[in-house]
């Protein structure tokens, strides 16, 4: 059994052994090990070699010389496909061209040294080999995009050393797939890919513009939120200032209340003292008045006694005068008349003394009365002074009460301002919460829109890699598969040709059948095949379809119907109004 060496598979896949599903344990390596030792330990029929260097050529020659019966089959890659894969991976064009040319020259030199033991086979993406038992499962997308294929074809067509070496390699190989007119097909595929990318770019620009508008709206909302936060912060500062002022006013009111309480206590004490002093003075005046009344009564009694005595004296004088007259009449003696005269004079003197005493008593009474009146006037002046002091204190108390009432009014006004500020703060907080909810809703909508676009872009990328290139190739497999797909679409009610032409008038102008247009272009453009099937919904709702890159309607017809998948978003309808029951009020 000949050993098979695949050369350059690492350019088409990161894990090249997965491209050989029919092989067992392929050995992927950067350079060949000693094949004789490998055969003795663990013989393997397939080797995957990234590049063929001079050391590998020497080892293969030694392995062939060691046993003339040994056979090895070397599969080399077509230059256009290999260069396209290298360019797609980011390699420099000139370096990739020189690498393939150097490997081809080493391979020809090795073939010339052991023609009987070495068989050369060329392989290409999408082609099966008749000579190799373990054919490659190499998809056409492994060569990269159509633009890289076009660049690789251009390099191959303008590099004369590569064309000469490639001609010798074709002549030395027992099998090598060669396609005619490939450059035109690749150019057409690149052009179509360019148009698809341009359409995707325009759509991406529209989506980017929509995202920018959404970002601008979100920025405006953020500015509005920042403004509301600033207003809320200002309201909080103003509220804090008002609270501080209120606390100061409350402290001042408390101090004023304490002062008022002290003044009230002092006024009460002064009032009590004034009342006590007034009572004491009234008691003293009453005592003095009582004493004066008693003295006056005593004087009056004494005066009455003196008057009575004076009357008695007058009566006695009259009696004496009568006696004297009788004596004068009866006695003629001059001495008795003189003695009577002397007695009368003495009585008159005593009467004069009694009158003088009475006058002194009246003067003393008048003096006491004047002193009583002066004392009463002084008492009235003291009472008036106390009343004036009490009135002044009452005025002070009224003034303090007025100030307290004014302060209370100011406190009430500040309290109202504080309540209004609290209401404004609550209003601003509600506005902020409302704007935050609107921002969250807008952010969620933007995130859903971005997810929707990412799903579509993912499907477009995978679909373009899997189907865009092959859709325009003239291969037999495509020609054989396309009629089946067209028949499948024309037979299903989910594709309506008349509806498709009515919705998209450019399809009628293009001259392509509606079903063929939808398979090649419609799904990539995001168009719908009928009113019963939504391309965007099917790709965005089922992530596995978008990740696989399969055609959405073909996937639904092949698998989605059996899996009972939905074809369009659910329609929500309001319930019909209930009819009033019989006998119910209208």
């Amino acid at each position: 059994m000949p050993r098979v060496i695949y050369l350059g598979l690492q350019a088409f896949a990161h894990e090249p052994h997965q491209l050989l599903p029919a092989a067992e344990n392929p050995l992927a390596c950067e350079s060949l090990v000693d094949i004789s030792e490998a055969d003795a330990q663990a013989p393997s029929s397939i080797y995957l070699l990234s590049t063929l260097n001079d050391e590998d050529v020497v080892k293969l020659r030694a392995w062939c010389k060691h046993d003339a019966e040994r056979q090895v089959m070397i599969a080399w890659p077509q230059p256009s496909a290999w260069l396209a894969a290298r360019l797609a991976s980011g390699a420099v064009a000139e370096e990739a061209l020189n690498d393939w040319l150097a490997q081809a020259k080493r391979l020809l030199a090795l073939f010339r040294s052991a023609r009987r033991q070495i068989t050369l086979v060329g392989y290409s993406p999408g082609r099966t080999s008749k000579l190799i038992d373990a054919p490659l499962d190499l998809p056409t997308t492994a060569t990269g995009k159509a633009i890289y294929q076009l660049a690789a074809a251009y390099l191959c067509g303008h590099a004369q050393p590569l064309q000469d070496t490639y001609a010798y390699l074709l002549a030395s190989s027992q099998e090598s797939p060669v396609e005619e007119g490939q450059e035109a097909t690749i150019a057409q595929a690149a052009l179509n890919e360019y148009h698809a990318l341009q359409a995707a770019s325009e759509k991406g620009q529209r989506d980017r513009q929509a995202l920018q508008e959404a970002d601008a709206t979100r920025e405006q909302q953020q500015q509005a939120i920042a403004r509301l936060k600033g207003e809320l912060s200002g309201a909080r500062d103003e509220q804090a200032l008002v609270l501080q002022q209120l606390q100061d006013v409350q402290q001042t009111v408390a101090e004023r209340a304490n002062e008022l309480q002290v003044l009230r206590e002092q006024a009460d004490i002064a009032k009590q003292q004034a009342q006590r002093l007034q009572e004491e003075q009234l008691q003293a005046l009453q005592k003095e008045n009582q004493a004066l009344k008693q003295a006056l009564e005593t004087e009056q009694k004494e005066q009455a006694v003196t008057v009575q005595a004076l009357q008695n004296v007058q009566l006695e004088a009259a009696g004496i005068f009568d006696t004297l007259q009788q004596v004068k009449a009866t006695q003629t003696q001059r001495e008795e008349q003189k003695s009577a005269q002397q007695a009368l004079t003495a009585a008159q003197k005593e009467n004069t003394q009694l009158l003088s005493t009475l006058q002194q008593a009246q003067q003393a009474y008048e003096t006491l009365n004047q002193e009583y009146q002066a004392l009463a006037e002084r008492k009235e002046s003291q009472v008036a002074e106390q009343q004036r002091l009490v009135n002044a204190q009452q005025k002070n108390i009224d003034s303090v009460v007025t100030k307290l009432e004014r302060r209370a009014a100011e406190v009430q006004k500040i309290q109202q301002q504080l309540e209004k500020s609290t209401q404004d703060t609550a209003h601003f907080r509600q506005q902020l919460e409302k704007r935050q909810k609107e921002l969250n809703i807008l952010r969620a909508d933007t995130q859903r829109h971005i997810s929707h676009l990412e799903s579509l872009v993912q499907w477009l990328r995978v679909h373009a890699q899997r189907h865009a290139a092959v859709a325009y190739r003239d291969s037999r497999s495509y020609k054989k598969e396309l009629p089946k797909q067209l028949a499948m679409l024309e037979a299903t009610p989910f594709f309506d040709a008349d509806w498709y032409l009515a919705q998209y008038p450019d399809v009628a102008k293009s001259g392509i059948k509606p079903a063929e247009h939808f398979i090649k272009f419609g799904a990539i453009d995001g168009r719908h095949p009928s009113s019963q099937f939504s391309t965007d919904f099917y790709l965005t709702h089922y992530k596995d379809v978008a990740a696989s890159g399969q055609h959405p309607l073909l996937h639904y017809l092949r698998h989605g119907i059996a899996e009972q998948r939905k074809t369009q978003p659910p329609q929500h309808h309001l319930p019909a109004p209930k009819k009033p029951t019989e006998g119910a009020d209208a």
Side-chain angles (χ1 to χ4, degrees):
M1 179 179 181
R3 299 292 184 264
V4 179
I5 298 177
Y6 278 100
L7 186 62
L9 278 182
Q10 283 79 353
F12 298 99
H14 295 289
E15 297 180 0
H17 60 278
Q18 295 181 357
L19 302 177
L20 298 167
E24 295 182 359
N25 300 325
L27 180 60
C29 53
E30 293 296 331
S31 61
L32 291 178
V33 296
D34 191 356
I35 297 180
S36 60
E37 294 180 2
D39 288 341
Q41 296 178 1
S44 178
S45 61
I46 298 177
Y47 296 90
L48 310 179
L49 191 61
S50 59
T51 58
L52 183 65
N53 52 31
D54 296 334
E55 184 179 358
D56 296 331
V57 172
V58 172
K59 289 182 180 180
L60 285 173
R61 285 176 179 172
W63 185 76
C64 292
K65 288 181 180 180
H66 185 268
D67 188 356
E69 299 296 330
R70 289 175 176 173
Q71 297 290 326
V72 60
M73 185 178 295
I74 301 177
W76 52 272
Q78 293 290 334
S80 59
W82 190 82
L83 288 175
R86 288 296 306 277
L87 291 176
S89 63
V92 181
E94 187 176 358
E95 294 179 357
L97 185 64
N98 294 331
D99 289 343
W100 190 92
L101 188 59
Q103 293 185 61
K105 290 181 178 179
R106 295 190 190 99
L107 188 59
L108 288 173
L110 178 63
F111 176 73
R112 293 190 188 98
S113 62
R115 293 178 181 270
R116 296 180 180 180
Q117 294 176 279
I118 294 177
T119 302
L120 299 181
V121 177
Y123 69 87
S124 178
R127 296 290 183 176
T128 57
S129 177
K130 298 179 181 179
L131 299 178
I132 302 177
D133 295 335
L136 289 174
D137 185 11
L138 191 63
T140 57
T141 56
T143 59
K145 298 181 179 180
I147 187 66
Y148 298 114
Q149 298 178 8
L150 184 62
Y154 177 80
L155 290 175
C156 294
H158 292 77
Q160 189 62 36
L162 185 141
Q163 293 181 4
D164 296 340
T165 306
Y166 179 53
Y168 283 114
L169 198 57
L170 287 176
S172 303
S173 300
Q174 292 188 8
E175 182 183 6
S176 179
V178 179
E179 295 183 0
E180 300 294 338
Q182 186 178 7
E183 293 183 358
T185 303
I186 294 175
Q188 184 64 29
L191 183 60
N192 294 328
E193 183 178 355
Y194 169 75
H195 290 311
L197 290 176
Q198 188 176 9
S201 176
E202 292 177 355
K203 188 175 182 181
Q205 289 179 357
R206 292 193 298 269
D207 296 337
R208 188 181 300 107
Q209 185 177 1
L211 290 176
Q212 289 176 355
E213 293 176 355
D215 291 339
T217 305
R218 183 175 59 185
E219 185 177 358
Q220 291 178 358
Q221 292 183 352
Q222 289 178 353
Q223 291 177 358
I225 291 173
R227 179 175 56 79
L228 289 177
K229 287 183 178 179
E231 293 178 358
L232 180 60
S233 178
R236 287 178 178 174
D237 295 339
E238 185 178 357
Q239 182 180 3
L241 181 60
V242 171
L243 287 175
Q244 184 65 31
Q245 292 178 356
L246 180 60
Q247 291 176 358
D248 295 340
V249 171
Q250 289 178 350
Q251 185 176 1
T252 305
V253 170
E255 293 176 356
R256 294 293 184 184
N258 294 330
E259 293 177 359
L260 179 60
Q261 186 67 25
V262 172
L263 290 175
R264 285 179 178 175
E265 293 177 356
Q266 292 178 357
D268 293 337
I269 294 172
K271 195 173 183 179
Q272 292 175 1
Q273 290 178 356
Q275 290 177 356
R276 187 169 60 252
L277 180 60
Q278 187 176 4
E279 290 176 357
E280 291 177 355
Q281 291 177 355
L282 288 174
Q283 290 176 1
L285 288 174
Q286 289 175 359
K287 289 180 180 179
E288 290 178 358
N289 290 333
Q290 188 175 2
L292 289 173
K293 286 181 180 180
Q294 291 177 359
L296 183 60
E297 289 176 356
T298 303
E299 290 291 333
Q300 288 177 354
K301 289 179 180 181
E302 290 179 355
Q303 188 177 3
V305 173
T306 303
V307 170
Q308 186 66 34
L310 182 60
Q311 290 176 356
N312 293 330
V313 170
Q314 288 178 355
L315 290 174
E316 288 179 358
I320 292 169
F321 182 72
D322 291 337
T323 301
L324 286 176
Q325 286 180 354
Q326 290 176 2
V327 171
K328 187 176 179 180
T330 61
Q331 294 178 1
T332 59
Q333 297 177 0
R334 196 171 185 176
E335 289 84 2
E336 290 180 358
Q337 188 177 3
K338 289 182 179 179
S339 59
Q341 185 71 30
Q342 290 176 353
L344 180 62
T345 304
Q348 290 178 350
K349 288 181 179 179
E350 186 177 358
N351 190 13
T352 303
Q353 290 178 355
L354 289 174
L355 290 173
S356 177
T357 303
L358 180 60
Q359 291 177 355
Q360 290 178 356
Q362 289 179 352
Q363 290 177 357
Y365 176 75
E366 291 177 356
T367 303
L368 289 174
N369 191 15
Q370 291 177 357
E371 290 180 357
Y372 176 76
Q373 291 179 357
L375 183 60
E377 291 177 356
R378 187 168 62 253
K379 183 63 178 179
E380 290 178 357
S381 65
Q382 290 179 356
V383 171
E385 183 67 21
Q386 291 293 332
Q387 188 66 30
R388 187 181 62 79
L389 293 175
V390 171
N391 293 332
Q393 291 179 356
Q394 187 66 33
K395 288 181 180 180
N396 292 331
I397 292 172
D398 294 339
S399 177
V400 172
V401 171
T402 303
K403 291 182 180 179
L404 289 176
E405 290 177 353
R406 187 167 59 252
R407 290 289 185 180
E410 292 178 356
V411 170
Q412 185 177 4
K413 184 178 180 180
I414 293 173
Q415 187 70 25
Q416 292 176 356
Q417 292 178 355
L418 179 60
E419 292 177 357
K420 183 179 179 182
S421 177
T422 304
Q423 293 176 359
D424 293 340
T425 303
H427 176 69
F428 288 145
R429 186 178 290 108
Q430 291 177 358
Q431 291 292 328
L432 179 60
E433 292 177 355
K434 182 179 179 181
R435 293 299 176 84
Q436 188 67 33
K437 290 179 181 179
E438 292 177 356
L439 180 61
N440 293 334
I441 293 173
L442 182 60
R443 186 181 290 111
D445 293 340
T446 305
Q447 190 63 31
R448 286 195 298 269
H449 187 61
I450 292 174
S451 176
H452 177 80
L453 294 177
E454 288 178 351
S455 300
L456 292 179
V457 170
Q458 181 184 10
W459 177 80
L460 287 172
R461 185 183 297 112
V462 179
H463 185 77
Q465 291 178 355
R466 293 190 57 182
H467 299 283
V470 73
Y472 301 100
R473 297 177 61 89
D474 296 329
S475 60
R476 295 178 180 177
S477 60
Y478 174 71
K479 291 181 177 181
K480 183 179 180 181
E481 187 68 20
L482 183 59
K484 295 181 180 179
Q485 297 175 355
L486 295 177
M488 187 181 299
L489 259 65
E490 292 174 352
T492 179
F494 290 98
F495 181 81
D496 190 348
D498 296 334
W499 183 90
Y500 192 77
L501 292 174
Q503 291 292 324
Y504 310 109
D506 58 324
V507 178
K509 296 178 181 180
S510 64
I512 305 177
K513 293 182 179 181
E516 184 178 358
H517 183 277
F518 179 70
I519 290 178
K520 292 181 178 180
F521 310 104
I524 299 177
D525 293 338
R527 303 188 182 191
H528 309 302
S530 65
S531 59
Q532 302 180 14
F533 190 89
S534 174
T535 303
D536 293 343
F537 171 77
Y538 197 77
L539 291 175
T540 55
H541 190 67
Y542 301 107
K543 304 295 183 180
D544 56 335
V545 180
S548 66
Q550 300 183 37
H551 195 281
L553 183 54
L554 294 178
H555 180 276
Y556 176 73
L557 296 176
R558 292 169 180 168
H559 310 288
I561 296 177
E563 296 172 358
Q564 297 182 354
R565 300 200 181 198
K566 299 178 181 180
T567 59
Q568 55 187 355
Q571 301 293 331
H572 300 285
H573 299 285
L574 293 175
K578 297 182 179 179
K579 295 183 179 180
T581 58
E582 295 182 358
D585 294 336

